[in-house]
Amino acid sequence: MSASLILSGDYRDHGAQQPCQQQQQLLHQQAPLHSVLPYMLIEDEVHGVIELPSHIQEIVEHPLFQRLKKIHQLGLVAWVIAPHANQKRYDHCLGTYKSAQEHLRAIERNSKYETKLPDWCRKAVEIAALLHDIGHGPMSHAWEKASHNKFNHEENALDCVDRIFNDARHPELVALRDEGSGRGVRLIKALILGDTEYLNFPMMGHAYIFDIVHNNRCGLDVDKWDYLRRDNKRLKILGPEEMDFDNIFLKSRISQDGQRIEYRYDDYHRIYTLFAARARLHVEAYQHPKNAAAEKIFVDLVQRLAPQMFDLRSKDAGWLNLDDDHILEMVKNDPMAAYIREPQRVVELPSLDCLGANALPVSRIIEGPGSTMKPDKAFALYGDKRKKRKINRCLSATTFNKCFTLE
């Protein structure tokens, strides 16, 4: 390994090998603690080694981004269903950054579109992918439920973007902030929201980049591409055939007018495979009855004991300390908190008799993949139409009404 590179990351969480002692000594000798070297290397369990140029390194080392190491990607799933599914938002954001790079390279390789994407736009796409989830509260989406959706992680992310760029020192970040009346930062925010209306300037033949990070047109984006692979790697719920959707992104191209990303007719069935994979992970992990019960306990605890925390945003002084461990520490002395630490004491009842004092009813309606996948007209397709395979959309929702007792 070159001495000009830093190996970084949480080796225990990423399953990576620690650098040998000689490598560590070499890095410590030639890489002072506060220096910014040309590249940072982070070993990732999904993408292998992710190379970060110095301007991205500055963002990753910002306290707002480092906080994501303390936010579980799957919230309470790691406590109550799969302790090994303890990946963090930090990992997912880095993976989404890498996925955005791979997607951009693929569409440019597969296209005859001659208008080159300006470098500042490319950087905006990559940074939007990196920062798309930086605004998450403790326990990720469970925090939004606990706040009755008054807290929005995407809106909060926009303030994070402002703070990071206000602190920026790297010339490439300063240019995104200052040149063209701040057009670079504005584009980053618009891409995080997936909203072209947020811009105050036209994209001039490059509107297709709005299909990369947060695709409101058809739902195919690098956010899903990373988290489905990352989450399933830990959960081990889906087999290889159920995860066969990489070519959706790797074989896509830019439309002739530069307005859309087009996907192959050959991969139409893989689009459904992606949404079916997402639906199954919702049923068997994200919204599993046991996780739903834990979320209900968590919501009650925070609403009773720390409701003031819902008012905190990234611009507030206490935001950097608002993480999973901090919230659990705040509620740990309440008797109900024991059921998060000891989920085996939350026991499903064989009947729906939820009248007892210790009874905990939970219910969910989880849409089927045929419903969450948008109608065919939402997808721009190219190639040989005869290769489009027929799919049988599952429109049926998965519904459960369960009752647990707290022992």
Side-chain angles (χ1 to χ4, degrees), residues 252-270:
S252 56
R253 73 178 190 185
I254 304 166
S255 63
Q256 290 185 353
D257 61 4
Q259 296 302 303
R260 298 288 305 270
I261 289 179
E262 297 178 333
Y263 310 93
R264 295 190 309 173
Y265 281 109
D266 312 49
D267 296 321
Y268 175 73
H269 65 287
R270 292 187 174 92

Side-chain angles (χ1 to χ4, degrees), residues 207-226:
Y208 65 87
I209 63 175
F210 276 84
D211 291 349
I212 296 176
V213 178
H214 182 170
N215 189 342
N216 275 322
R217 289 193 271 209
C218 70
L220 296 173
D221 51 44
V222 294
D223 176 23
K224 290 185 183 69
W225 192 21
D226 182 80

